[in-house]
Amino acid sequence: MMIQKLLFIGLLFFCFGSQKANAQSYNFNTSGFSVLEKSANGKWGKWSDLELANIRVTLDTNKNRIVIYSQVIQLFQILDYQPSSESKTDIVYTFSCVDNDGVDCTLSIITRKNQDNRKQLYINYGDQIIVYNIFNAD
């Protein structure tokens, strides 16, 4: 498990390169977000219109958490670092988490290789998905 965590941290450093070599905290800003929800009959609806939002997001592997500093702070405790995956179009880092209300969810940071390496943060609750467009903070 420790080797998997160290490998994961190394891959994050490689992909988000602007961080210091000894840093284990990764800082992002959002440019916008959208929401997708399941209806009462279990079918996915449509993504909401993209809302512009400049919000700080921190991935802290020392504290095993992801924090979204929106008007209501969203704290996600990382329970497990899933193996990363890569395809021709995406690089995906996935985390099994619990939010500040104790609800299980999955967070993924996805780099879209065919879209100028655009990054997105997905928060998946099973019946609702929130996506933030993110970029590395200075």
Side-chain angles (χ1 to χ4, degrees), residues 72-124:
V72 175
I73 294 176
Q74 302 170 65
L75 172 65
F76 300 93
Q77 190 65 39
I78 300 171
L79 303 175
D80 193 23
Y81 294 79
Q82 301 295 324
S84 62
S85 64
E86 185 170 354
S87 68
K88 289 182 181 180
T89 58
D90 299 319
I91 302 170
V92 182
Y93 298 96
T94 302
F95 314 87
S96 299
C97 298
V98 62
D99 70 10
N100 6 0
D101 295 323
V103 179
D104 291 332
C105 54
T106 302
L107 277 68
S108 298
I109 297 175
I110 302 176
T111 301
R112 306 290 183 185
K113 296 194 290 188
N114 292 347
Q115 298 176 18
D116 294 324
N117 291 319
R118 177 171 68 116
K119 292 177 181 54
Q120 295 182 300
L121 170 63
Y122 282 82
I123 305 168
N124 188 335

Short mmCIF file of all heavy atoms in Angstrom, two decimals, residues 72-124:
data_model
loop_
_atom_site.label_atom_id
_atom_site.label_comp_id
_atom_site.label_asym_id
_atom_site.label_seq_id
_atom_site.Cartn_x
_atom_site.Cartn_y
_atom_site.Cartn_z
N VAL A 72 -19.17 27.18 0.62
CA VAL A 72 -19.25 26.16 1.66
C VAL A 72 -18.10 25.21 1.38
O VAL A 72 -18.05 24.56 0.34
CB VAL A 72 -20.60 25.41 1.62
CG1 VAL A 72 -20.61 24.27 2.62
CG2 VAL A 72 -21.76 26.36 1.85
N ILE A 73 -17.13 25.15 2.30
CA ILE A 73 -15.92 24.35 2.08
C ILE A 73 -16.29 22.88 1.96
O ILE A 73 -17.03 22.35 2.79
CB ILE A 73 -14.89 24.58 3.19
CG1 ILE A 73 -14.38 26.02 3.12
CG2 ILE A 73 -13.74 23.60 3.08
CD1 ILE A 73 -13.41 26.40 4.21
N GLN A 74 -15.78 22.24 0.91
CA GLN A 74 -16.01 20.82 0.67
C GLN A 74 -14.73 20.07 1.02
O GLN A 74 -13.69 20.28 0.39
CB GLN A 74 -16.36 20.58 -0.80
CG GLN A 74 -17.59 21.35 -1.26
CD GLN A 74 -17.74 21.28 -2.76
OE1 GLN A 74 -17.95 20.21 -3.32
NE2 GLN A 74 -17.59 22.42 -3.43
N LEU A 75 -14.81 19.21 2.03
CA LEU A 75 -13.66 18.44 2.48
C LEU A 75 -13.89 16.98 2.17
O LEU A 75 -14.93 16.42 2.55
CB LEU A 75 -13.45 18.63 3.99
CG LEU A 75 -12.39 17.74 4.65
CD1 LEU A 75 -11.00 18.06 4.11
CD2 LEU A 75 -12.43 17.90 6.16
N PHE A 76 -12.95 16.37 1.47
CA PHE A 76 -13.03 14.96 1.12
C PHE A 76 -11.84 14.24 1.72
O PHE A 76 -10.69 14.54 1.37
CB PHE A 76 -13.04 14.79 -0.41
CG PHE A 76 -14.19 15.48 -1.07
CD1 PHE A 76 -14.06 16.78 -1.54
CD2 PHE A 76 -15.42 14.85 -1.20
CE1 PHE A 76 -15.12 17.43 -2.14
CE2 PHE A 76 -16.49 15.49 -1.79
CZ PHE A 76 -16.34 16.79 -2.27
N GLN A 77 -12.11 13.33 2.64
CA GLN A 77 -11.06 12.51 3.24
C GLN A 77 -10.78 11.35 2.29
O GLN A 77 -11.70 10.61 1.93
CB GLN A 77 -11.50 11.99 4.61
CG GLN A 77 -10.39 11.36 5.40
CD GLN A 77 -9.30 12.35 5.78
OE1 GLN A 77 -9.56 13.49 6.13
NE2 GLN A 77 -8.07 11.90 5.73
N ILE A 78 -9.52 11.19 1.87
CA ILE A 78 -9.16 10.11 0.96
C ILE A 78 -9.02 8.82 1.75
O ILE A 78 -8.20 8.73 2.67
CB ILE A 78 -7.85 10.43 0.21
CG1 ILE A 78 -8.01 11.71 -0.62
CG2 ILE A 78 -7.44 9.25 -0.67
CD1 ILE A 78 -6.71 12.23 -1.22
N LEU A 79 -9.83 7.82 1.41
CA LEU A 79 -9.78 6.52 2.06
C LEU A 79 -8.85 5.56 1.33
O LEU A 79 -8.24 4.69 1.94
CB LEU A 79 -11.19 5.91 2.13
CG LEU A 79 -12.25 6.75 2.83
CD1 LEU A 79 -13.61 6.07 2.71
CD2 LEU A 79 -11.87 6.98 4.28
N ASP A 80 -8.78 5.73 -0.02
CA ASP A 80 -7.96 4.82 -0.82
C ASP A 80 -7.55 5.52 -2.11
O ASP A 80 -8.34 6.23 -2.73
CB ASP A 80 -8.76 3.55 -1.15
CG ASP A 80 -7.89 2.44 -1.71
OD1 ASP A 80 -6.66 2.44 -1.48
OD2 ASP A 80 -8.43 1.55 -2.40
N TYR A 81 -6.31 5.31 -2.49
CA TYR A 81 -5.78 5.81 -3.76
C TYR A 81 -5.92 4.67 -4.77
O TYR A 81 -5.26 3.65 -4.63
CB TYR A 81 -4.30 6.20 -3.62
CG TYR A 81 -4.06 7.37 -2.71
CD1 TYR A 81 -4.05 7.23 -1.32
CD2 TYR A 81 -3.82 8.63 -3.23
CE1 TYR A 81 -3.82 8.31 -0.49
CE2 TYR A 81 -3.59 9.73 -2.40
CZ TYR A 81 -3.59 9.56 -1.04
OH TYR A 81 -3.37 10.63 -0.22
N GLN A 82 -6.79 4.84 -5.74
CA GLN A 82 -6.99 3.81 -6.76
C GLN A 82 -5.83 3.84 -7.75
O GLN A 82 -5.19 4.88 -7.92
CB GLN A 82 -8.31 4.05 -7.50
CG GLN A 82 -9.53 4.05 -6.61
CD GLN A 82 -9.78 2.70 -5.98
OE1 GLN A 82 -9.57 1.67 -6.59
NE2 GLN A 82 -10.21 2.71 -4.73
N PRO A 83 -5.57 2.72 -8.42
CA PRO A 83 -4.51 2.74 -9.45
C PRO A 83 -4.84 3.75 -10.55
O PRO A 83 -6.00 3.88 -10.95
CB PRO A 83 -4.52 1.32 -10.00
CG PRO A 83 -5.19 0.49 -8.95
CD PRO A 83 -6.17 1.40 -8.26
N SER A 84 -3.83 4.47 -10.99
CA SER A 84 -4.04 5.41 -12.09
C SER A 84 -4.22 4.63 -13.39
O SER A 84 -3.83 3.47 -13.49
CB SER A 84 -2.87 6.38 -12.20
OG SER A 84 -1.69 5.68 -12.50
N SER A 85 -4.84 5.28 -14.36
CA SER A 85 -5.02 4.63 -15.66
C SER A 85 -4.73 5.66 -16.75
O SER A 85 -4.86 6.87 -16.54
CB SER A 85 -6.43 4.07 -15.80
OG SER A 85 -7.39 5.11 -15.78
N GLU A 86 -4.34 5.15 -17.89
CA GLU A 86 -4.05 6.03 -19.03
C GLU A 86 -4.55 5.37 -20.30
O GLU A 86 -4.38 4.17 -20.52
CB GLU A 86 -2.55 6.29 -19.12
CG GLU A 86 -2.19 7.28 -20.21
CD GLU A 86 -0.75 7.75 -20.16
OE1 GLU A 86 -0.02 7.39 -19.21
OE2 GLU A 86 -0.35 8.49 -21.08
N SER A 87 -5.19 6.18 -21.13
CA SER A 87 -5.63 5.75 -22.45
C SER A 87 -5.04 6.72 -23.48
O SER A 87 -4.28 7.61 -23.12
CB SER A 87 -7.16 5.75 -22.52
OG SER A 87 -7.65 7.08 -22.46
N LYS A 88 -5.44 6.57 -24.72
CA LYS A 88 -4.97 7.48 -25.76
C LYS A 88 -5.45 8.91 -25.50
O LYS A 88 -4.81 9.86 -25.92
CB LYS A 88 -5.45 7.03 -27.14
CG LYS A 88 -4.78 5.79 -27.64
CD LYS A 88 -5.28 5.42 -29.03
CE LYS A 88 -4.61 4.16 -29.50
NZ LYS A 88 -5.07 3.78 -30.85
N THR A 89 -6.57 9.05 -24.79
CA THR A 89 -7.17 10.37 -24.62
C THR A 89 -7.08 10.93 -23.21
O THR A 89 -7.17 12.14 -23.03
CB THR A 89 -8.65 10.35 -25.03
OG1 THR A 89 -9.34 9.38 -24.22
CG2 THR A 89 -8.82 10.00 -26.50
N ASP A 90 -6.92 10.06 -22.19
CA ASP A 90 -7.01 10.54 -20.81
C ASP A 90 -5.97 9.92 -19.89
O ASP A 90 -5.55 8.77 -20.09
CB ASP A 90 -8.39 10.20 -20.20
CG ASP A 90 -9.53 10.84 -20.94
OD1 ASP A 90 -9.40 12.01 -21.34
OD2 ASP A 90 -10.57 10.17 -21.11
N ILE A 91 -5.60 10.67 -18.86
CA ILE A 91 -4.85 10.15 -17.70
C ILE A 91 -5.77 10.37 -16.51
O ILE A 91 -6.25 11.49 -16.29
CB ILE A 91 -3.52 10.90 -17.49
CG1 ILE A 91 -2.64 10.80 -18.73
CG2 ILE A 91 -2.79 10.34 -16.27
CD1 ILE A 91 -1.42 11.71 -18.69
N VAL A 92 -6.03 9.30 -15.74
CA VAL A 92 -7.02 9.37 -14.67
C VAL A 92 -6.41 8.95 -13.34
O VAL A 92 -5.82 7.87 -13.24
CB VAL A 92 -8.24 8.48 -14.99
CG1 VAL A 92 -9.29 8.59 -13.89
CG2 VAL A 92 -8.83 8.81 -16.35
N TYR A 93 -6.57 9.82 -12.33
CA TYR A 93 -6.20 9.53 -10.95
C TYR A 93 -7.49 9.51 -10.13
O TYR A 93 -8.23 10.50 -10.14
CB TYR A 93 -5.25 10.59 -10.39
CG TYR A 93 -3.96 10.66 -11.16
CD1 TYR A 93 -3.79 11.59 -12.19
CD2 TYR A 93 -2.92 9.78 -10.87
CE1 TYR A 93 -2.61 11.63 -12.91
CE2 TYR A 93 -1.73 9.84 -11.59
CZ TYR A 93 -1.59 10.75 -12.59
OH TYR A 93 -0.42 10.80 -13.31
N THR A 94 -7.75 8.40 -9.46
CA THR A 94 -9.01 8.21 -8.77
C THR A 94 -8.79 7.98 -7.28
O THR A 94 -7.85 7.29 -6.89
CB THR A 94 -9.80 7.05 -9.40
OG1 THR A 94 -10.00 7.32 -10.79
CG2 THR A 94 -11.14 6.85 -8.73
N PHE A 95 -9.68 8.57 -6.48
CA PHE A 95 -9.61 8.49 -5.03
C PHE A 95 -10.97 8.05 -4.48
O PHE A 95 -11.99 8.63 -4.85
CB PHE A 95 -9.30 9.87 -4.44
CG PHE A 95 -8.19 10.61 -5.12
CD1 PHE A 95 -8.44 11.41 -6.22
CD2 PHE A 95 -6.89 10.51 -4.64
CE1 PHE A 95 -7.42 12.09 -6.85
CE2 PHE A 95 -5.86 11.20 -5.27
CZ PHE A 95 -6.12 11.98 -6.38
N SER A 96 -10.98 7.06 -3.61
CA SER A 96 -12.19 6.71 -2.87
C SER A 96 -12.20 7.62 -1.64
O SER A 96 -11.23 7.67 -0.89
CB SER A 96 -12.17 5.25 -2.44
OG SER A 96 -12.12 4.41 -3.57
N CYS A 97 -13.32 8.32 -1.44
CA CYS A 97 -13.37 9.36 -0.40
C CYS A 97 -14.65 9.28 0.40
O CYS A 97 -15.60 8.58 0.05
CB CYS A 97 -13.30 10.75 -1.06
SG CYS A 97 -11.79 11.07 -1.97
N VAL A 98 -14.66 10.06 1.46
CA VAL A 98 -15.86 10.35 2.23
C VAL A 98 -15.89 11.87 2.41
O VAL A 98 -14.86 12.49 2.65
CB VAL A 98 -15.88 9.59 3.58
CG1 VAL A 98 -14.74 9.99 4.48
CG2 VAL A 98 -17.21 9.73 4.27
N ASP A 99 -17.08 12.47 2.21
CA ASP A 99 -17.16 13.93 2.30
C ASP A 99 -17.40 14.38 3.74
O ASP A 99 -17.48 13.56 4.66
CB ASP A 99 -18.21 14.49 1.34
CG ASP A 99 -19.65 14.17 1.71
OD1 ASP A 99 -19.90 13.67 2.83
OD2 ASP A 99 -20.54 14.40 0.87
N ASN A 100 -17.54 15.71 3.96
CA ASN A 100 -17.70 16.24 5.32
C ASN A 100 -18.98 15.76 5.99
O ASN A 100 -19.09 15.84 7.20
CB ASN A 100 -17.66 17.76 5.43
CG ASN A 100 -17.60 18.56 4.18
OD1 ASN A 100 -17.60 18.09 3.07
ND2 ASN A 100 -17.54 19.85 4.36
N ASP A 101 -19.95 15.24 5.23
CA ASP A 101 -21.19 14.72 5.80
C ASP A 101 -21.12 13.21 6.03
O ASP A 101 -22.12 12.59 6.40
CB ASP A 101 -22.38 15.05 4.90
CG ASP A 101 -22.64 16.55 4.82
OD1 ASP A 101 -22.46 17.23 5.86
OD2 ASP A 101 -23.02 17.03 3.74
N GLY A 102 -19.96 12.60 5.74
CA GLY A 102 -19.81 11.16 5.91
C GLY A 102 -20.33 10.33 4.75
O GLY A 102 -20.48 9.12 4.87
N VAL A 103 -20.59 10.97 3.61
CA VAL A 103 -21.12 10.28 2.44
C VAL A 103 -19.97 9.80 1.56
O VAL A 103 -19.06 10.57 1.24
CB VAL A 103 -22.06 11.20 1.64
CG1 VAL A 103 -22.59 10.50 0.40
CG2 VAL A 103 -23.21 11.69 2.51
N ASP A 104 -20.01 8.52 1.17
CA ASP A 104 -19.00 7.95 0.28
C ASP A 104 -19.12 8.55 -1.12
O ASP A 104 -20.23 8.77 -1.62
CB ASP A 104 -19.15 6.43 0.17
CG ASP A 104 -18.79 5.72 1.47
OD1 ASP A 104 -17.96 6.24 2.23
OD2 ASP A 104 -19.34 4.64 1.71
N CYS A 105 -17.98 8.79 -1.74
CA CYS A 105 -17.95 9.31 -3.10
C CYS A 105 -16.61 8.96 -3.73
O CYS A 105 -15.69 8.52 -3.05
CB CYS A 105 -18.18 10.82 -3.12
SG CYS A 105 -17.07 11.76 -2.07
N THR A 106 -16.52 9.16 -5.01
CA THR A 106 -15.29 8.93 -5.75
C THR A 106 -14.89 10.23 -6.44
O THR A 106 -15.72 10.85 -7.11
CB THR A 106 -15.49 7.82 -6.81
OG1 THR A 106 -15.92 6.63 -6.15
CG2 THR A 106 -14.20 7.54 -7.57
N LEU A 107 -13.64 10.63 -6.24
CA LEU A 107 -13.12 11.80 -6.93
C LEU A 107 -12.09 11.35 -7.94
O LEU A 107 -11.31 10.42 -7.67
CB LEU A 107 -12.48 12.79 -5.94
CG LEU A 107 -13.44 13.75 -5.24
CD1 LEU A 107 -14.35 13.03 -4.28
CD2 LEU A 107 -12.70 14.86 -4.58
N SER A 108 -12.09 11.99 -9.09
CA SER A 108 -11.11 11.68 -10.13
C SER A 108 -10.56 12.96 -10.71
O SER A 108 -11.32 13.90 -10.98
CB SER A 108 -11.76 10.86 -11.27
OG SER A 108 -12.24 9.63 -10.80
N ILE A 109 -9.25 13.00 -10.89
CA ILE A 109 -8.61 14.08 -11.62
C ILE A 109 -8.25 13.50 -12.98
O ILE A 109 -7.50 12.53 -13.07
CB ILE A 109 -7.37 14.61 -10.89
CG1 ILE A 109 -7.77 15.22 -9.55
CG2 ILE A 109 -6.63 15.63 -11.76
CD1 ILE A 109 -6.60 15.67 -8.69
N ILE A 110 -8.82 14.09 -14.02
CA ILE A 110 -8.64 13.58 -15.37
C ILE A 110 -7.93 14.63 -16.21
O ILE A 110 -8.35 15.79 -16.25
CB ILE A 110 -9.99 13.21 -16.01
CG1 ILE A 110 -10.70 12.15 -15.15
CG2 ILE A 110 -9.79 12.72 -17.45
CD1 ILE A 110 -12.08 11.79 -15.63
N THR A 111 -6.86 14.23 -16.86
CA THR A 111 -6.16 15.08 -17.82
C THR A 111 -6.60 14.64 -19.21
O THR A 111 -6.42 13.47 -19.58
CB THR A 111 -4.64 14.97 -17.67
OG1 THR A 111 -4.27 15.34 -16.35
CG2 THR A 111 -3.91 15.85 -18.67
N ARG A 112 -7.17 15.56 -19.97
CA ARG A 112 -7.65 15.29 -21.34
C ARG A 112 -6.51 15.56 -22.31
O ARG A 112 -6.25 16.71 -22.68
CB ARG A 112 -8.85 16.18 -21.66
CG ARG A 112 -9.99 16.08 -20.65
CD ARG A 112 -10.70 14.78 -20.72
NE ARG A 112 -11.83 14.76 -19.80
CZ ARG A 112 -12.56 13.70 -19.58
NH1 ARG A 112 -12.30 12.58 -20.21
NH2 ARG A 112 -13.55 13.75 -18.72
N LYS A 113 -5.82 14.51 -22.73
CA LYS A 113 -4.63 14.66 -23.57
C LYS A 113 -4.95 15.29 -24.92
O LYS A 113 -4.14 16.05 -25.45
CB LYS A 113 -3.94 13.31 -23.76
CG LYS A 113 -3.40 12.74 -22.45
CD LYS A 113 -2.44 11.59 -22.64
CE LYS A 113 -3.09 10.34 -23.13
NZ LYS A 113 -2.17 9.18 -23.13
N ASN A 114 -6.12 15.01 -25.47
CA ASN A 114 -6.50 15.54 -26.78
C ASN A 114 -7.10 16.94 -26.70
O ASN A 114 -7.55 17.48 -27.70
CB ASN A 114 -7.48 14.60 -27.49
CG ASN A 114 -6.83 13.29 -27.88
OD1 ASN A 114 -5.61 13.16 -27.85
ND2 ASN A 114 -7.63 12.31 -28.24
N GLN A 115 -7.13 17.51 -25.51
CA GLN A 115 -7.70 18.85 -25.32
C GLN A 115 -6.66 19.75 -24.64
O GLN A 115 -6.95 20.41 -23.64
CB GLN A 115 -8.98 18.77 -24.49
CG GLN A 115 -10.08 17.96 -25.14
CD GLN A 115 -11.31 17.82 -24.25
OE1 GLN A 115 -11.51 18.58 -23.29
NE2 GLN A 115 -12.14 16.84 -24.57
N ASP A 116 -5.46 19.75 -25.18
CA ASP A 116 -4.36 20.56 -24.65
C ASP A 116 -4.08 20.28 -23.17
O ASP A 116 -3.78 21.18 -22.40
CB ASP A 116 -4.62 22.06 -24.84
CG ASP A 116 -4.63 22.44 -26.31
OD1 ASP A 116 -3.83 21.86 -27.08
OD2 ASP A 116 -5.42 23.32 -26.69
N ASN A 117 -4.23 19.00 -22.78
CA ASN A 117 -4.00 18.56 -21.40
C ASN A 117 -4.89 19.28 -20.38
O ASN A 117 -4.50 19.52 -19.25
CB ASN A 117 -2.52 18.68 -21.01
CG ASN A 117 -1.69 17.67 -21.76
OD1 ASN A 117 -2.08 16.52 -21.94
ND2 ASN A 117 -0.53 18.09 -22.22
N ARG A 118 -6.10 19.59 -20.81
CA ARG A 118 -7.08 20.21 -19.90
C ARG A 118 -7.36 19.24 -18.75
O ARG A 118 -7.48 18.04 -18.94
CB ARG A 118 -8.38 20.49 -20.65
CG ARG A 118 -9.47 21.07 -19.78
CD ARG A 118 -10.64 21.54 -20.63
NE ARG A 118 -11.34 20.44 -21.26
CZ ARG A 118 -12.61 20.12 -20.98
NH1 ARG A 118 -13.29 20.83 -20.11
NH2 ARG A 118 -13.18 19.13 -21.60
N LYS A 119 -7.45 19.78 -17.52
CA LYS A 119 -7.69 18.96 -16.34
C LYS A 119 -9.10 19.20 -15.82
O LYS A 119 -9.61 20.32 -15.86
CB LYS A 119 -6.67 19.28 -15.25
CG LYS A 119 -5.26 18.86 -15.59
CD LYS A 119 -4.30 19.26 -14.49
CE LYS A 119 -2.88 18.87 -14.79
NZ LYS A 119 -2.37 19.33 -16.05
N GLN A 120 -9.70 18.12 -15.32
CA GLN A 120 -11.01 18.20 -14.72
C GLN A 120 -11.03 17.39 -13.43
O GLN A 120 -10.37 16.35 -13.33
CB GLN A 120 -12.09 17.67 -15.66
CG GLN A 120 -12.24 18.49 -16.93
CD GLN A 120 -13.33 17.96 -17.81
OE1 GLN A 120 -13.28 16.82 -18.24
NE2 GLN A 120 -14.34 18.79 -18.08
N LEU A 121 -11.79 17.86 -12.46
CA LEU A 121 -12.01 17.15 -11.20
C LEU A 121 -13.46 16.71 -11.18
O LEU A 121 -14.37 17.55 -11.22
CB LEU A 121 -11.71 18.06 -10.00
CG LEU A 121 -12.12 17.53 -8.63
CD1 LEU A 121 -11.35 16.26 -8.28
CD2 LEU A 121 -11.92 18.60 -7.56
N TYR A 122 -13.69 15.39 -11.13
CA TYR A 122 -15.03 14.83 -11.05
C TYR A 122 -15.31 14.36 -9.64
O TYR A 122 -14.47 13.68 -9.04
CB TYR A 122 -15.18 13.64 -12.00
CG TYR A 122 -15.35 14.02 -13.45
CD1 TYR A 122 -14.26 14.35 -14.24
CD2 TYR A 122 -16.61 14.07 -14.03
CE1 TYR A 122 -14.41 14.71 -15.58
CE2 TYR A 122 -16.78 14.43 -15.36
CZ TYR A 122 -15.67 14.74 -16.12
OH TYR A 122 -15.83 15.10 -17.43
N ILE A 123 -16.48 14.70 -9.12
CA ILE A 123 -16.95 14.21 -7.83
C ILE A 123 -18.19 13.38 -8.11
O ILE A 123 -19.22 13.92 -8.54
CB ILE A 123 -17.28 15.36 -6.87
CG1 ILE A 123 -16.08 16.29 -6.73
CG2 ILE A 123 -17.74 14.81 -5.51
CD1 ILE A 123 -16.40 17.60 -6.04
N ASN A 124 -18.10 12.07 -7.89
CA ASN A 124 -19.18 11.15 -8.26
C ASN A 124 -19.82 10.58 -7.00
O ASN A 124 -19.16 9.86 -6.24
CB ASN A 124 -18.63 10.04 -9.15
CG ASN A 124 -19.72 9.17 -9.73
OD1 ASN A 124 -20.81 9.05 -9.18
ND2 ASN A 124 -19.42 8.54 -10.85
#
